[in-house]
């Protein structure tokens, strides 16, 4: 994408040959477009844990960059083992993380340590480029599916959840890629952006869409049922953090509720993800680990006196118990189709398997 | 209820014969238990609009208190007409408002203006007392239904949405009344409290439950599907803002998503409300007006750098378009039962009608 006329990705190597990785600090958006520098493995691991970078595809590519930082400091076998183990622990649900680390392990392990640093850099850049290309193809593959949902006057109202745009990947995004394609082609598409509590990734999506000129409106997560019942949504499209072999989809918590409501009103519910999000080793959604995050994310609530001004952030009592699952599983039966860089398939065991037979 | 050992309601007349109504300012909870004084009709109308008081039953009783303030200033026929019209415009969805104003109109209109002020005070107090008694009975009527949902070890995990506790009524609450009854009887009940964006009334519910010693945990609205799928919820219970003649239920936006998820997992979805919430003139949910509130409620998002401290309230761009429906409609087919002060009935035309044949 271009931001203020400047081409930009979400993660890149610092210029001038420094052993530094730079990422957009997504915890500061949409307030501020800040870049944070990672100099060490621990910077990268903490950055992934604290969601400076988030989104399944970006987590995977960022982890590969983190391995580079580790190899720059110490390219030994032990350091490689430790780096991969440290990064693997950061986030449990997105399988792209494990996928990227498996690729890194397979490519770097056989090398002589003196070659690992440079190989890690080349590999991280390759994974980033491949992600950009996969997302571009997801946009292409998903476009007809989006157009199928158009009203008689050509308008398309899309509902999405969380952020599955360029910020969740290296560029273009997954769920948003077909939307950007449609918009660029002059199709009148408008997006209902679900806020996505507790971390408000909807604000990232609204920021992205505004930057790209795509009409949109922000809605509370609670509003999805009403909007679907009112006929205001033609298609629901989300990303995914892990797709099981049977087509069950783990994605940001709240996705399942939207899928249920879409089904209740006969609206297609579509998932867009690169094939690196598919975990053939997971037979179904029950086998996908669901990350439980800090209760403070929920205790922190936007609060005011609601008298026209913003007084303060209201903190629910610090000792209030909280449950904070970060993901949920949408059963394959509720998923109309899965869009990947290799094409669109049904969310069935056969459909998923067919992606790997090509 | 008792708050810090002091008996308390949500609305009352100031002592010492002042023509003043006092209410708990719910926009300041749970930060601060502040009381705000209403001296004029406009104070009351604005207080209802800005949600100093909220919750369908409390809105109705508060409006009756507002009419008293109007009559204290001017008990003429014209002032009565104007007061009722002004208050009727404050919130469109909760039918208890119209119900209470109809009662007020019917009782005050025939009186000589010189008697209206005192009659309005007596009537407002009567409506408040009747609400307390109705809620007490809802607690009694709902208790067996709650106990039916208990696990083999006696524990009951309840999910609720918004605030339908004593803060939403004059005392006891609707959805929370059976929970308070069960807890007071020593039943091990625990409540999952849905945050309820954009206005975060879940924080009110958590505050209430903490004050009463009822075990609970706060969850993001998005978490309901995951909790139900994981078998962590035995019964869902909410209040209502309007129940149509066929049993369709309008309640705080997001209720419908919980009802869909409860049905998907075979968990009872129960609605608790006084009969004043039933609108026999509404044939079904499609006839219930859904309030659209200010987009600023959604634009205001709890935001931080997520680095352990709270920096600021993140404001989504002020020109970000927003859709903010405040309510949604849950079809009767998803409602397991309706608990009222006159007993428990199925959410059917016959069930609802039977409440008025007694």
């Amino acid at each position: 994408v271009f931001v203020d006329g400047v081409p930009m990705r979400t993660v890149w190597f610092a210029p001038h040959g420094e052993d530094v990785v730079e990422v957009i600090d997504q915890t500061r958006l949409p307030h501020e477009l800040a870049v944070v520098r990672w100099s060490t493995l621990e910077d990268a691991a903490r950055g992934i844990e604290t969601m400076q970078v988030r989104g399944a595809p970006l987590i995977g590519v960022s982890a590969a960059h983190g391995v580079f930082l580790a190899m720059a400091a110490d390219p030994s076998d032990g350091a490689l083992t430790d780096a991969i183990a440290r990064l693997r622990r950061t986030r449990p649900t997105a399988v792209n993380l494990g996928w990227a680390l498996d690729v890194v392990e397979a490519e770097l392990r056989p090398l002589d340590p003196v070659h690992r640093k440079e190989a890690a850099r080349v590999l991280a850049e390759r994974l980033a480029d491949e992600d950009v290309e996969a997302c571009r193809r997801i946009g292409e593959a998903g476009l007809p599916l989006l157009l199928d949902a158009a009203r008689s006057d050509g308008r398309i109202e899309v509902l999405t959840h969380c952020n599955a745009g360029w910020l969740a990947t290296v560029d273009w995004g997954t769920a948003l890629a077909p939307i950007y394609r449609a918009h660029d082609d002059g199709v009148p598409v408008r997006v209902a952006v679900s806020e996505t509590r507790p971390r408000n990734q909807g604000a990232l999506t609204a920021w992205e869409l505004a930057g790209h000129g795509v009409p949109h409106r922000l809605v509370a997560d609670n509003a999805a049922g009403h909007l679907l019942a009112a006929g205001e949504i033609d298609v629901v499209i989300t990303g995914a953090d892990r797709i099981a072999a049977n087509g069950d989809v783990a994605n940001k918590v709240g996705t399942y509720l939207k899928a249920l409501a879409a089904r209740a009103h006969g609206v297609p519910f579509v998932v867009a993800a690169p094939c690196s999000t598919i975990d053939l080793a997971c037979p179904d959604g029950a086998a996908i680990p669901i990350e439980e995050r800090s209760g403070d994310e929920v205790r922190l609530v936007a609060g005011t006196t609601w008298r026209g001004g913003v007084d303060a952030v209201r903190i629910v009592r610090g000792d209030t118990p909280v449950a904070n699952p970060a993901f949920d599983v949408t059963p394959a039966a509720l998923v109309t189709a899965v869009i990947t860089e290799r094409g669109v398939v049904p969310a069935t065991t056969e459909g998923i398997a067919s992606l790997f037979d090509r």
Side-chain angles (χ1 to χ4, degrees), chain A:
Chain A
V1 297
F2 289 81
V3 176
D4 297 335
V6 180
M8 182 162 258
R9 287 182 168 187
T10 49
V11 58
W12 62 91
F13 286 105
H16 316 306
E18 288 178 287
D19 294 339
V20 168
V21 172
E22 294 182 339
V23 302
I24 295 176
D25 183 352
Q26 300 192 28
T27 65
R28 305 194 76 91
L29 282 173
H31 250 345
E32 183 190 2
L33 181 62
V35 170
V36 65
R37 290 163 60 88
W38 292 344
S39 303
T40 65
L41 166 68
E42 192 58 24
D43 287 346
R46 294 277 304 151
I48 294 170
E49 284 168 349
T50 61
M51 299 171 64
Q52 287 176 343
V53 293
R54 24 67 49 203
L58 178 55
I59 288 171
V61 175
S62 298
H65 284 72
V67 172
F68 163 79
L69 292 171
M71 295 300 93
D74 174 2
S76 70
D77 282 8
L80 179 61
T81 301
D82 291 350
I84 288 174
R86 173 70 183 93
L87 289 161
R88 216 184 276 278
R89 282 198 306 273
T90 52
R91 304 282 311 269
T93 301
V95 76
N96 312 60
L97 175 65
W99 171 86
L101 291 170
D102 289 346
V103 170
V104 167
E105 166 88 32
E107 299 222 0
L108 299 190
R109 180 70 65 193
L111 299 182
D112 188 301
V114 300
H115 299 306
R116 279 193 183 135
K117 175 183 164 184
E118 191 49 32
R121 180 192 286 269
V122 170
L123 177 55
E125 284 184 327
R126 195 188 86 206
L127 290 176
D129 289 343
E130 287 176 359
D131 183 73
V132 175
E133 177 60 13
C135 288
R136 196 191 59 75
R137 289 190 188 184
I138 286 170
E140 246 169 34
L143 181 61
L145 211 146
L146 213 57
L147 297 176
D148 279 352
R151 301 172 182 214
S152 53
D153 64 0
R155 288 189 304 120
I156 310 170
E157 298 274 355
V158 184
L159 171 66
T160 190
H161 187 56
C162 197
N163 173 267
W166 69 268
L167 289 170
T169 62
V170 179
D171 202 349
W172 291 115
T174 53
L176 296 196
I179 292 168
Y180 287 134
R181 262 310 287 265
H183 176 78
D184 291 350
D185 287 359
V187 176
V189 58
R190 184 170 72 151
V191 185
V193 177
S194 189
E195 177 180 38
T196 317
R197 279 282 293 162
R199 290 296 292 256
N200 316 314
Q201 290 95 333
L204 301 177
T205 298
W207 180 82
E208 268 198 31
L209 293 171
H212 208 91
V214 180
H216 61 282
R217 46 191 181 147
L218 189 67
V219 301
D221 300 308
N222 284 321
H226 177 73
L227 294 177
L228 280 154
E232 293 193 32
I233 303 295
D234 304 314
V235 56
V236 181
I237 179 167
T238 75
D241 287 81
R242 190 181 304 214
I243 301 176
N246 74 337
D248 287 352
V249 174
N251 191 47
K252 181 53 55 191
V253 69
T255 301
Y256 175 35
L257 293 172
K258 289 176 173 61
L260 283 167
R263 174 57 51 97
H265 296 285
V267 168
F269 175 85
V270 178
V271 169
C275 288
S276 55
T277 304
I278 295 167
D279 184 1
L280 293 176
C282 253
D284 57 34
I288 301 176
I290 299 297
E291 179 180 9
E292 177 78 20
R293 291 186 61 87
S294 164
D296 285 342
E297 293 184 352
V298 180
R299 283 186 202 101
L300 182 64
V301 178
T304 68
T305 61
W306 299 103
R307 286 167 183 161
V310 177
D311 282 7
V313 173
R314 171 193 294 168
I315 311 284
V316 176
R317 272 175 42 169
D319 59 352
T320 299
V322 167
N324 187 19
F327 301 92
D328 62 22
V329 173
T330 298
L334 297 178
V335 180
T336 310
V338 178
I339 308 170
T340 76
E341 73 276 29
R342 298 180 195 161
V344 177
V345 296
T348 60
T349 302
E350 298 68 33
I352 298 298
S354 73
L355 291 167
F356 299 91
D357 293 339
R358 299 179 179 192

